[in-house]
């Protein structure tokens, strides 16, 4: 069900698709008690994680579960409770579908006329931001990294071309070379962790270190459902289930031979985070997380 | 003029009675007996009288005199009271002291006095608004305004104002009133730290207390001795010992007649706390524990019977220890064990009960790791940690802090304990901790601080000088091969021995703080404090 949702709307974030499928699952669920309902939901989230192991799916799923159960579920009738939960689920879905627009509106003001922007791999949020900036009649050029092994950067370049934004594709290895030319770096995120750092496509950490060395601002754009309760201390500390694709985890014995798909960027390298909760510094992320999860 | 006559009469009455009573009071003090309530009232009245006489000498306008008197009579108006009237005037005792004074004056009921005062203040306010500059009335209202203006200035705690003679005098007077012995400083203090106390272990404060001590409860005396001699050391240990001693005090306490337990017990605790802080400055955790107890005591409803109230307080203390210390350490171990992976080399410093507990738990959960214990003079607390870990069967290495940069390339994580976490994210811990964090940062080794939430305090500090503790300088003297070089360090004028106890680590060096609420970055400490305050 999840796969078909992604296929029908490629523009939708994987987490949003996941939550939509979770909502459908909730509507179809047959369990008799609230506890049973919860268990089924958790099982469903696990199944989703197995098919599409991304941080966003796991964080989105957990937040969804928390959001719908955060109300007083003291109705004696189970179907009434279920209706309440479904209502909240719809509300949640609506909120997060709007979040990308909010982020785009916040961020595009930071792009000045004549700016040169560097971005990494393909991110729908960054695309929205650049779209908004272009609609604001700003002139800027974009450099995108190729982002192997899946060459997602080329896809991003194609989309930007369609928006009539001048774009250049650079090699992943050319980040250091190009850094002196650019004015700012904007990347998306798969997950934002408790420390204020981000988890994103492999190569983001390199870009962050480079931009710090050149004193260029490093901005991250992410929706709030990507906030996840993880606290990695270093690259090794990120759990394996996020680093590698789900099917690889199941089939391959020796993970040392595999290339990880994501890396962790510590908060000291990030200048600002743009979320639908506002523009945050990395230290404020923990504050927001406490509000979201507690 | 009748008023001033009346006052004259009063003062004469006071002076004759005072002499007699004063002798009695002094006698009682020498015998170490606790001053009875009347004697305490006498002392207080005498002080007020002295103040009044001083004001008379200065010759202010009559209105102000009356106002002073009225404000002195009603301690429920703290704004106009001079700051020297400290916490001692408790509403219950003060109302009792009011009655003898009122009996001697031409009879005025409290309500009438208050009405008079209010009328006076209204006229004052009106005249102040009417007149623009200094008539006699506005001049008299200005002295009233200035004590109010002084209120917003925060008072520094006494224990970091040792080089200020005025603060010392205040402390001496307060301790005299509470009948707690004043401990004198020892030896030459390094000039940067001359604002802190430096005591010697050879002069315990208990020497100056007569036996049997009736003012200070014996379990508190014992506790103070244990603190000052270093028998009980470590933030958690000190707090738990303090709470147990308070349990004993509450057990032995009996409410005097015409007193309420909720107010009187808090007063009884104040001299104990002064005594303990004379023995060894209070830690942040102890401060929080004391605040909690005082809040619980004052929340006891007045119709509660004594036995019931005492039982309730004992339960509160037990649950505090259980929740904030024991259960918290369980929660922290649970989070911390997630961060320990197989093959880790963990560095610890000194002896933190929490870190030792975490490592023992992780070992029981079959994690494979080895530990490097870093130690430093003069306390050599690392030896105790080493003993405990080796007993469990954990592989340990022992180094002194001077070998830190040699050993750090091998280390994968650093676990540190904390004495307190300050509101700006700084970590206050045993001296040497900030050094470890600094070098670990240089080698890119993650630094994890483990701290229970009851050690979080509202203070802000950016350096280790402002508020610290100076330990006995004689500890630094070492005897090797029968030779003690620093034996006569006091005679060498240019030599100072500095034995610091705490230092402060900035949040940039700390990667993660593990608390019972979860894993938070060091900069989120004020968020936790805010959440805690909302809960309470």
């Amino acid at each position: 069900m999840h796969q078909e949702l992604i296929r029908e709307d490629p523009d939708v974030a994987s987490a949003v698709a996941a939550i939509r499928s979770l909502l459908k699952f909730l509507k179809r669920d047959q369990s008799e008690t609230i506890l049973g309902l919860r268990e089924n939901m958790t099982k469903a989230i696990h199944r989703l994680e197995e098919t599409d192991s991304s941080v966003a799916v796991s964080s989105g799923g957990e937040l969804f579960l928390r959001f719908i159960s955060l109300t007083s579920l003291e109705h004696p009738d189970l179907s009434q409770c279920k209706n309440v939960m479904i209502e909240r689920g719809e509300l949640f879905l609506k909120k997060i579908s709007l979040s990308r627009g909010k982020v785009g509106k916040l961020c595009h003001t930071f792009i000045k006329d004549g700016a040169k922007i560097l971005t990494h791999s393909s991110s729908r949020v960054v695309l929205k931001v650049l779209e908004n900036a272009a609609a604001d009649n700003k002139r800027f050029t974009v450099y995108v990294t190729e982002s192997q092994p899946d060459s997602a950067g080329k896809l991003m370049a194609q989309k930007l071309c369609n928006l009539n934004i001048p774009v250049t594709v650079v090699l992943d290895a050319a980040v250091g070379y190009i850094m002196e030319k650019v004015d700012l770096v904007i990347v998306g995120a798969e997950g934002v962790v408790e420390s204020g750092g981000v988890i994103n496509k492999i190569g983001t950490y390199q870009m962050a270190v480079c931009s710090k060395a050149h004193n260029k601002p490093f901005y991250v754009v992410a929706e709030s459902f990507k906030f996840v309760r993880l606290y990695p201390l270093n690259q090794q500390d990120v759990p394996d289930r996020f680093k590698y694709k789900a099917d690889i985890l199941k089939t391959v014995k020796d993970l040392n031979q595999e290339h990880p798909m994501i890396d962790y960027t510590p908060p000291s390298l990030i200048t600002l985070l743009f979320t639908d909760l506002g523009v945050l510094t990395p230290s404020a992320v923990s504050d927001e997380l406490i509000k979201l999860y507690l | 003029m009748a008023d001033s006559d009346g006052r004259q009469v009063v003062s004469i009455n006071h002076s004759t009675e005072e002499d007699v009573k004063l002798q009695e009071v002094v006698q009682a003090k020498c015998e170490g007996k606790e001053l009875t309530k009347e004697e305490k009232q006498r002392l207080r009245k005498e002080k007020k009288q002295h103040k009044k006489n001083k004001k008379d000498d200065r010759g202010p306008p009559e209105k102000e005199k009356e106002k002073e008197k009225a404000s002195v009579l009603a301690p429920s108006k703290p704004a106009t009271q001079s700051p020297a009237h400290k916490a001692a005037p408790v509403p219950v005792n003060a109302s009792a002291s009011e009655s003898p004074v009122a009996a001697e004056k031409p009879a005025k009921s409290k309500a009438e006095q208050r009405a008079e005062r209010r009328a006076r203040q209204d006229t004052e306010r009106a005249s102040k608004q009417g007149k623009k500059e200094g008539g006699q009335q506005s001049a008299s209202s200005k002295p009233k305004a200035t004590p109010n203006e002084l209120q917003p200035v925060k008072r520094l705690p006494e224990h970091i104002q040792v080089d200020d003679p005025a603060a010392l005098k205040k402390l001496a007077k307060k301790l005299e009133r509470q009948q707690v012995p004043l401990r004198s400083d020892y030896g030459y203090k390094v000039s940067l730290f001359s604002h802190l106390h430096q005591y010697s272990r050879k002069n315990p404060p208990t020497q100056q207390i007569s036996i049997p001590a009736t003012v200070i409860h014996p379990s508190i005396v014992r506790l103070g001795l244990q603190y000052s001699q270093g028998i009980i050391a470590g933030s958690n240990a000190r707090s738990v010992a303090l709470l147990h001693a308070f349990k004993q005090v509450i057990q032995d306490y009996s409410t005097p007649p015409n007193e309420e337990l909720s107010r009187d017990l808090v007063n009884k605790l104040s001299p104990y706390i002064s005594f303990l802080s004379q023995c060894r400055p209070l830690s942040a955790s102890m401060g929080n524990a004391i605040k909690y107890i005082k809040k619980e005591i004052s929340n006891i409803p007045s119709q509660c019977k004594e036995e019931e109230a005492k039982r309730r307080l004992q339960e509160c203390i037990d649950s505090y220890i259980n929740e904030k210390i024991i259960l918290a350490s369980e929660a922290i171990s649970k989070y911390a064990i997630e961060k320990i992976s197989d093959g880790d080399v963990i560095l610890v410093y000194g002896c933190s009960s929490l870190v030792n507990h975490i490592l023992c738990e992780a070992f029981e959960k079959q994690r494979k790791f080895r530990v490097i214990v870093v130690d430093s003079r003069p306390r050599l607390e690392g030896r105790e940690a080493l003993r405990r870990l080796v007993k469990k069967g954990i592989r340990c290495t022992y180094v002194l802090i001077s070998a830190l940069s040699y050993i750090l390339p091998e280390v994968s994580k650093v676990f540190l304990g904390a004495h307190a976490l300050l509101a700006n994210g700084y970590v206050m811990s045993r001296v040497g901790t900030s050094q470890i964090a600094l070098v670990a940062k240089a080698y890119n080794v993650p630094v994890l601080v483990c701290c229970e939430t009851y050690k979080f305090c509202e203070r802000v500090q950016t350096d280790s000088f402002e508020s610290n503790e100076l330990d006995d300088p004689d500890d630094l003297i070492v005897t090797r091969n029968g030779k003690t070089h620093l034996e006569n360090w006091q005679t060498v004028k240019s030599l100072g021995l500095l034995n610091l106890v705490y230092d402060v680590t900035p949040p940039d060096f700390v990667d993660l703080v593990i608390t019972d609420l979860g894993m938070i970055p060091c900069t989120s400490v004020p968020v936790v404090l805010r959440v805690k305050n909302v809960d309470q």
Side-chain angles (χ1 to χ4, degrees):
Chain A
M1 195 202 329
H2 175 77
Q3 305 284 28
E4 50 182 62
L5 273 172
I6 288 193
R7 252 175 278 132
E8 27 173 286
D9 191 358
D11 204 22
V12 125
S14 57
V16 178
I19 291 172
R20 226 176 258 158
S21 40
L22 276 174
L23 198 58
K24 275 211 191 125
F25 180 82
L26 178 62
K27 286 187 187 143
R28 279 201 256 158
D29 186 56
Q30 301 286 343
S31 52
E32 297 294 309
T33 65
I34 293 191
L35 201 59
L37 194 71
R38 250 183 205 270
E39 270 178 33
N40 284 347
M41 295 297 289
T42 337
K43 264 192 261 177
I45 294 179
H46 280 309
R47 283 301 311 279
L48 275 172
E49 280 178 21
E50 276 173 32
T51 49
D52 181 0
S53 69
S54 68
V55 185
V57 169
S58 112
S59 71
E62 196 184 328
L63 273 170
F64 178 69
L65 200 56
R66 271 178 182 270
F67 191 79
I68 58 178
S69 27
L70 205 58
T71 74
S72 66
L73 291 168
E74 282 164 12
H75 306 277
D77 189 9
L78 179 67
S79 59
Q80 244 186 330
C81 286
K82 240 178 106 172
N83 286 340
V84 169
M85 285 171 86
I86 291 177
E87 233 180 86
R88 284 189 65 90
E90 305 269 352
L91 189 65
F92 189 66
L93 204 55
K94 212 175 5 147
K95 260 206 323 184
I96 61 179
S97 332
L98 296 172
S99 53
R100 204 188 286 167
K102 282 194 213 158
V103 178
K105 247 195 298 193
L106 270 177
C107 186
H108 81 266
T109 47
F110 279 71
I111 300 176
K112 297 200 173 58
D113 213 14
K116 298 203 194 63
I117 305 173
L118 175 61
T119 185
H120 184 64
S121 182
S122 169
S123 163
R124 285 171 282 238
V125 194
V126 176
L127 192 62
K128 188 97 177 96
V129 168
L130 296 177
E131 212 182 294
N132 284 9
D136 213 14
N137 288 332
K138 294 208 183 119
R139 284 165 300 183
F140 54 91
T141 50
V142 181
Y143 296 93
V144 192
T145 53
E146 224 180 15
S147 169
Q148 298 291 1
D150 54 1
S151 289
K154 298 216 174 118
L155 204 67
M156 181 80 164
Q158 188 64 42
K159 289 190 220 167
L160 284 168
C161 244
N162 295 343
L163 292 168
N164 287 330
I165 298 174
V167 58
T168 319
V169 178
V170 299
L171 292 172
D172 295 338
V175 168
Y177 170 79
I178 203 87
M179 192 55 78
E180 54 184 40
K181 277 202 225 170
V182 301
D183 298 319
L184 67 152
V185 184
I186 306 184
V187 298
E190 299 217 8
V192 178
V193 295
E194 277 185 71
S195 58
V198 290
I199 294 183
N200 199 17
K201 186 80 184 295
I202 190 103
T204 315
Y205 179 50
Q206 244 158 255
M207 202 180 274
V209 173
C210 248
S211 63
K212 183 86 179 191
H214 285 264
N215 282 324
K216 308 282 180 184
F218 186 84
Y219 298 133
V220 173
V221 285
E223 301 100 315
S224 62
F225 60 81
K226 291 188 177 155
F227 282 25
V228 65
R229 295 222 74 180
L230 208 63
Y231 204 125
L233 296 169
N234 45 27
Q235 305 298 337
Q236 273 196 330
D237 222 11
V238 181
D240 279 340
R241 65 181 200 274
F242 296 136
K243 274 201 245 185
Y244 308 101
K245 279 208 183 326
D247 32 359
I248 294 181
L249 275 174
K250 276 188 267 193
T251 53
V252 167
K253 297 290 167 188
D254 185 12
L255 281 173
N256 280 332
Q257 299 293 331
E258 287 302 320
H259 300 291
M261 295 297 292
I262 55 161
D263 64 17
Y264 164 67
T265 308
S268 47
L269 301 172
I270 301 174
T271 323
L272 284 178
L273 282 121
F274 296 90
T275 70
D276 51 326
L277 301 167
V279 181
L280 305 171
T281 56
S283 8
V285 169
S286 165
D287 197 348
E288 292 297 326
L289 264 170
I290 290 179
K291 277 196 237 160
L292 268 177
Y293 274 98
L294 285 178
Chain B
M1 287 305 126
D3 268 347
S4 54
D5 274 348
R7 226 185 306 115
Q8 294 289 348
V9 170
V10 167
S11 51
I12 292 173
N13 279 348
H14 269 214
S15 52
T16 46
E17 290 174 24
E18 274 309 311
D19 298 337
V20 175
K21 289 277 162 58
L22 201 54
Q23 282 175 4
E24 284 180 25
V25 166
V26 171
Q27 208 179 14
K29 259 205 239 174
C30 298
E31 288 171 22
K33 262 197 295 193
E34 190 167 0
L35 293 179
T36 61
K37 203 179 66 186
E38 288 88 40
E39 288 164 348
K40 280 195 196 150
Q41 283 169 25
R42 286 274 163 228
L43 267 180
R44 232 176 283 134
K45 254 190 288 168
E46 177 201 88
K47 246 199 300 196
K48 286 178 195 168
Q49 200 56 38
H50 279 181
K51 277 227 154 44
K52 247 186 275 168
N53 293 339
K54 258 199 256 167
K55 286 244 151 70
D56 285 342
D57 292 339
R58 268 192 253 136
E62 192 184 277
K63 251 190 189 166
E64 195 199 276
K65 264 196 286 182
E66 293 198 356
K67 224 182 296 138
E68 280 291 335
K69 191 174 30 131
S71 59
V72 153
L73 274 176
S76 55
K77 293 204 80 209
T80 46
Q81 228 176 351
S82 48
H85 288 259
K86 287 214 190 115
V90 175
V92 178
N93 284 343
S95 59
S97 74
E98 246 185 293
S99 28
V101 177
E104 288 167 350
K105 295 191 71 56
K108 264 188 192 173
S109 74
K110 248 201 277 187
E112 280 180 19
Q113 288 169 357
R114 251 187 241 135
E116 266 187 357
R117 221 181 309 123
R118 222 172 282 137
R120 235 177 280 129
Q121 282 173 8
D122 288 336
T123 50
E124 281 292 296
R125 225 171 283 137
S127 61
K128 214 160 89 174
Q129 284 170 0
K131 290 203 178 157
K132 280 207 186 129
E133 72 220 17
Q136 194 198 36
Q137 285 184 321
S138 42
S140 62
S141 62
K142 261 198 220 121
K144 190 195 171 194
T146 35
N148 280 334
E149 274 166 31
L150 286 175
Q151 289 308 312
V153 174
K154 270 206 162 168
R155 290 212 302 258
L156 287 172
E158 173 283 322
H159 66 269
I160 58 171
Q161 274 188 304
V162 174
D163 54 353
D164 180 12
L168 275 183
K169 252 204 287 187
K170 253 203 230 170
L171 172 72
K173 269 207 246 166
K174 172 177 158 204
L175 289 180
E176 192 188 305
R177 187 166 28 91
Q178 291 178 329
Q179 296 181 285
V180 167
L182 173 70
R183 204 175 176 191
S184 51
D185 285 354
Y186 165 76
Y188 168 71
K189 280 191 271 193
V190 174
S191 61
L192 268 175
F193 293 94
S194 58
H195 62 286
L196 300 169
H197 283 296
Q198 183 170 280
Y199 299 130
S200 164
R201 207 161 289 139
K202 294 201 272 272
N203 304 334
T206 44
Q207 276 177 349
Q208 301 161 37
I209 299 181
S210 58
I211 295 168
T214 48
V215 179
I216 301 180
H217 194 279
S219 58
I220 301 280
V221 176
R222 181 178 67 173
L223 188 67
L225 194 59
Q226 283 170 330
Y227 283 167
S228 66
Q229 301 301 97
I231 298 171
I232 293 187
S235 190
N236 278 343
R238 282 164 73 190
S239 309
V240 171
L242 176 75
L243 289 169
H244 281 305
F246 275 171
K247 267 173 72 176
Q248 190 64 40
V249 167
I250 292 175
Q251 187 67 32
D252 298 336
Y253 170 76
S254 53
T255 327
N258 300 331
E259 294 282 355
E260 262 190 50
L261 181 139
S262 57
R263 290 195 204 120
D264 189 57
L265 187 52
V266 178
N267 291 347
K268 279 277 183 336
L269 290 181
S270 304
Y272 300 163
I273 294 167
S274 308
F275 172 70
L276 288 175
S277 58
Q278 284 294 300
C279 298
R280 190 171 165 193
L282 296 180
S283 64
S285 50
M286 286 164 71
N288 285 344
I290 290 172
K291 253 190 257 178
Y292 173 77
I293 290 185
K294 284 193 174 167
K295 192 171 73 98
E296 287 300 315
I297 294 177
S298 46
N299 279 348
I300 300 262
S302 44
Q303 62 266 28
C304 205
K305 283 212 304 228
E306 188 175 315
E307 284 310 312
E308 165 76 20
K310 283 208 254 185
R311 193 186 52 81
R312 207 188 285 197
L313 284 173
Q314 308 258 15
E315 272 173 20
C316 279
I317 292 182
D318 279 333
S319 77
Y320 186 82
I321 295 179
N322 198 30
E323 272 175 40
K324 307 275 176 172
I325 302 180
I326 300 178
L327 286 181
S329 83
E330 297 291 321
I332 293 178
S333 326
K334 199 168 60 93
Y335 289 121
I337 287 173
E338 288 170 28
K339 287 291 170 205
I340 298 178
S341 28
D342 286 342
D344 259 348
V345 179
I346 297 179
L347 187 129
V348 297
Y349 177 64
C351 181
S352 163
S353 55
L354 189 54
V355 174
N356 290 341
H357 183 254
I358 290 173
L359 293 176
C360 295
E361 287 277 309
F363 189 72
E364 270 171 34
K365 295 229 165 69
Q366 312 299 332
R367 292 274 198 279
K368 308 268 174 302
F369 59 92
R370 65 183 179 92
V371 177
I372 299 181
V373 180
V374 177
D375 202 5
S376 70
R377 277 196 67 230
R379 283 168 175 250
L380 291 173
E381 288 170 330
R383 297 194 177 175
E384 177 60 34
L386 189 66
R387 204 171 299 137
R388 290 188 203 170
L389 294 173
V390 170
K391 209 168 172 186
K392 269 281 178 172
I394 302 175
R395 272 175 57 203
C396 296
T397 313
Y398 177 84
V399 291
L400 289 181
I401 195 165
S402 27
L404 185 63
S405 56
Y406 167 77
I407 202 94
L408 253 171
E410 288 181 26
V411 174
S412 64
K413 293 192 175 72
V414 177
F415 272 78
L416 298 173
H419 170 85
L421 236 61
L422 307 175
N424 57 348
Y426 279 64
V427 179
M428 184 171 189
S429 187
R430 186 66 81 216
V431 64
T433 312
S434 65
Q435 193 175 335
I436 302 222
L438 174 69
V439 183
K441 187 76 183 178
Y443 280 89
N444 253 327
V445 175
V447 174
L448 289 77
V449 170
C450 309
C451 182
E452 301 96 333
T453 45
Y454 87 104
K455 289 185 190 158
F456 284 22
C457 73
E458 301 266 340
R459 244 165 19 134
V460 171
Q461 214 178 314
T462 49
D463 58 57
S464 314
F465 298 100
E466 175 222 324
S467 171
N468 208 324
E469 195 185 320
L470 293 177
D471 210 359
D472 193 350
D474 291 337
D475 283 348
L476 294 179
I477 304 173
V478 63
T479 307
R480 265 206 193 95
N481 301 331
K483 280 194 280 199
T484 319
H485 292 280
L486 288 174
E487 205 160 13
N488 301 315
W489 68 276
Q490 306 250 33
T491 53
V492 182
K493 288 289 175 213
S494 52
L495 181 60
L497 295 186
L498 181 64
N499 190 357
L500 276 179
V501 182
Y502 298 117
D503 71 12
V504 153
T505 309
D508 329 325
F509 296 153
V510 177
D511 288 302
L512 172 61
V513 176
I514 309 181
T515 68
D516 36 314
L517 291 176
M519 299 192 266
I520 57 172
C522 220
T523 45
S524 284
V525 168
V527 179
V528 172
L529 278 172
R530 191 180 68 210
V531 167
K532 266 206 317 178
N533 287 340
V534 164
D535 282 344
Q536 285 169 354

